[in-house]
Amino acid sequence: MFQEFKDWFWLERFWLPPTIKWSDLEDHDGLVFVKPSHLYMTIPCAFGLLIIRHVFEKIIATPLAKAFGIKEDVRKIIPNPVLENFFKYSTRQPSQTDIYGLAKKCNLTERQVERWFRSRRNRERPCRMKKFQEACWRFAFYLVITAAGIAFLYDKPWVYDLWQVWNGYPTQPLLPSQYWYYILEMSFYWSLLFSLGSDVKRKDFLAHVIHHLAAISLMSFSWCANYIRSGTLVMIVHDVADIWLESAKMFSYAGWTQTCNILFFIFSAIFLVSRLIIFPFWILYCTLVIPMHYLEPFFSYVFLNLQLMVLQVLHLYWGYFILKMLKRCIFSKNIQDVRSDDEGEYEEEEEEEEEEEEKEEATKDKDRDCLKNGLGADRYLIPNGQHGR
């Protein structure tokens, strides 16, 4: 059964142009060609990147965050088993009826119960240190992989002449630089997919999942069908903008607003040019139009371009958010990442309310101390009735 499915899945008419056989892509005369089995390496490499990421965040990202003045938030709350069980097993957002019942049960005021749940929710919110560590890791990887991509591609003729992308297809040999560029890029996206559960959850979580799966699927398919040349162009166009986004986030978490704004404007310009101009009018033209001068339409050609179009829809989706952030920056003179944590704005408001309540409690404590000393509301008057003339 499995063998029948495997034979059907790898039918040449699904992957290769008519008249081309898998035997045509066998290694010969010192030339190496792509093989689906090469992709097995991406999984152990992905776990290797997760280990490197853990070490990087501990040794480099954390000290760098502290140098920027970012501290690990320690949110302490008064232990209460009854409220803790309700928080874990019922709801994080109790209704007014729940608050009333819990207050009676715990011999607390309703305000104290509300404050406890607010503090408990804030303790679950990812701290700036974790956000900075994640952004720093992604910045470091995108910086390295972009530099490597430029080094791999700067002397390749198909970068400057798109017609060379299809010259000799599909019997184009695999270069060592192409192999490592693909393996590292795919391993990184696998590692991001594996760490989604532990990373900071954002509002566009689903879009991230779709993006990572689409990227892995696209790279895997382009590898198996030997669309390596066009694949490397797609990767470099995507990586070049992400460096600036992650660096902007790093400075945003550090509170360097002006630097963050400058980096975000640079990112926006590069993103809009690379994803909304170069990608549709250069990459898609290369994969959709030029091949028709060399080949007849076949299945993998159609499937490749469908995946690239899905990617372009995601570009438009994120382009909308970027323009939204630019609008906010221009009119409010402040950039806030709209791809923030899930319920982030609500939790920040809760944290502000908690701080205000703490200040209010501190003021009340001072007032009580003053009352105990017999000063009352007129504690700033000169004692013994000695008023200035």
Side-chain angles (χ1 to χ4, degrees), residues 220-283:
S220 300
F221 182 81
S222 66
W223 179 273
C224 295
N226 205 15
Y227 295 120
I228 303 298
R229 293 185 180 182
S230 57
T232 54
L233 298 180
V234 171
M235 290 191 291
I236 194 66
V237 165
H238 282 74
D239 292 337
V240 71
D242 291 330
I243 304 171
W244 303 97
L245 174 62
E246 301 305 332
S247 61
K249 287 183 178 180
M250 289 168 58
F251 283 101
S252 174
Y253 300 143
W256 292 34
T257 306
Q258 192 65 32
T259 306
C260 169
N261 291 352
I262 294 171
L263 291 171
F264 179 77
F265 278 119
I266 296 173
F267 160 74
S268 300
I270 295 176
F271 181 95
L272 295 175
V273 171
S274 62
R275 310 285 181 91
L276 302 184
I277 297 177
I278 293 178
F279 187 84
F281 298 106
W282 187 50
I283 301 295

Side-chain angles (χ1 to χ4, degrees), residues 27 170 206 249 268-269 299 312 314 333 368 373 382 386:
D27 298 346
L206 181 60
K249 287 183 178 180
S268 300
F299 178 82
Q312 182 59 29
L314 288 172
K333 297 182 180 180
R368 282 195 290 268
N373 294 327
I382 298 175
Q386 297 176 10

Side-chain angles (χ1 to χ4, degrees), residues 156-166 233 282 286 290:
K156 304 301 184 293
W158 59 83
V159 176
Y160 311 100
D161 182 7
L162 295 180
W163 292 88
Q164 292 295 321
V165 170
W166 299 97
L233 298 180
W282 187 50
C286 173
I290 295 179

Side-chain angles (χ1 to χ4, degrees), residues 83-97:
L83 299 182
E84 184 68 26
N85 286 335
F86 190 90
F87 180 89
K88 287 183 177 179
Y89 303 112
S90 295
T91 178
R92 296 158 53 102
Q93 302 281 350
S95 64
Q96 196 60 41
T97 305

Side-chain angles (χ1 to χ4, degrees), residues 83 86-87 90-104 109-111 113-114 117 121 346:
L83 299 182
F86 190 90
F87 180 89
S90 295
T91 178
R92 296 158 53 102
Q93 302 281 350
S95 64
Q96 196 60 41
T97 305
D98 295 330
I99 291 173
Y100 177 79
L102 290 169
K104 291 292 185 183
T109 65
E110 293 181 29
R111 189 67 177 270
V113 173
E114 290 176 351
F117 274 93
R121 286 191 296 267
Y346 176 76

